[in-house]
Amino acid sequence: MSFESGEFRQALGCYPTGVAVVTALGPDGARLAMTANSFTSVSLAPPLVSFCLDRASVWFGAFQAAGHFAVNVLREDQAHLSDDFARIEGGCWQGLDTVTWRTGCPILKHALAAFECRVHARHPAGDHVILVGEVLGIASDGGGAPLAFFRGGYRRLAGEG
Ligand SMILES: Cc1cc2nc3c(=O)[nH]c(=O)nc-3n(C[C@H](O)[C@H](O)[C@H](O)COP(=O)(O)O)c2cc1C
């Protein structure tokens, strides 16, 4: 390897992404949520999406074991939710409007878009596991602008919103 991990992170940060809160249910039925910007589309037919789960995350065991997950794409004014759900302590559900669809995974009512998924595959990939989900349900009505993430910080898309 001819580069340091800091340089690798810096280069990766040049690729702008959205920000999502991925939710699931734990074995005891408790709600789980984790901020992720590794969400991506995988296949149109069948409809598949994925995100990468850090093996070092406090949530690794619970998300890895879950049979379903939901991806909630954040709006530009929801950076606080990204910060909240990236913290171990969690406890951010209070005052947050959520609904459930088929699987019971929490769907954030005011998300820009939501994808409810059944786990289709788990692929080990270095220090992460790629979780591929078959999409069972979607919502993306209402318009609005996404929260973007670029070079380690939150951004707004110029001309949107
Ligand atoms: C903008 C942003 C994007 C993130 N993307 C991911 C991701 O794609 N996959 C992941 O496993 N963790 C990601 N994280 C970190 C997790 O949200 C965080 O590790 C997790 O909530 C648990 O906290 P811990 O790392 O202290 O155990 C991201 C955090 C932030 C703030």
Side-chain angles (χ1 to χ4, degrees), residues 19 34-38 52-54 56-59 82 85-88 128 149 154:
V19 182
M34 191 193 82
T35 300
N37 70 336
S38 54
C52 299
L53 180 59
D54 188 346
S57 166
V58 69
W59 305 120
S82 171
F85 286 114
R87 278 204 290 267
I88 292 179
H128 282 61
F149 196 71
Y154 300 120

Side-chain angles (χ1 to χ4, degrees), residues 5 44 86 117 123 135:
S5 101
L44 289 177
C117 306
H123 300 294
V135 180

Side-chain angles (χ1 to χ4, degrees), residues 9-129:
R9 280 172 172 267
Q10 186 178 319
L12 290 174
C14 293
Y15 189 66
T17 67
V19 182
V21 171
V22 184
T23 63
L25 294 180
D28 53 356
R31 298 185 288 186
L32 310 170
M34 191 193 82
T35 300
N37 70 336
S38 54
F39 170 65
T40 194
S41 57
V42 173
S43 161
L44 289 177
L48 301 176
V49 297
S50 72
F51 75 100
C52 299
L53 180 59
D54 188 346
R55 291 179 182 278
S57 166
V58 69
W59 305 120
F60 178 77
F63 269 100
Q64 158 88 347
H68 300 93
F69 63 85
V71 177
N72 297 273
V73 178
L74 296 183
R75 294 177 180 275
E76 63 178 3
D77 61 352
Q78 293 179 318
H80 60 289
L81 294 182
S82 171
D83 287 340
D84 283 350
F85 286 114
R87 278 204 290 267
I88 292 179
E89 316 96 61
C92 353
W93 295 105
Q94 199 128 20
L96 201 57
D97 280 343
T98 61
V99 292
T100 55
W101 295 342
R102 282 166 67 174
T103 68
C105 296
I107 306 290
L108 305 188
K109 229 172 155 181
H110 301 297
L112 185 62
F115 302 81
E116 183 172 52
C117 306
R118 176 191 301 126
V119 172
H120 172 84
R122 297 177 182 86
H123 300 294
D127 57 11
H128 282 61
V129 169

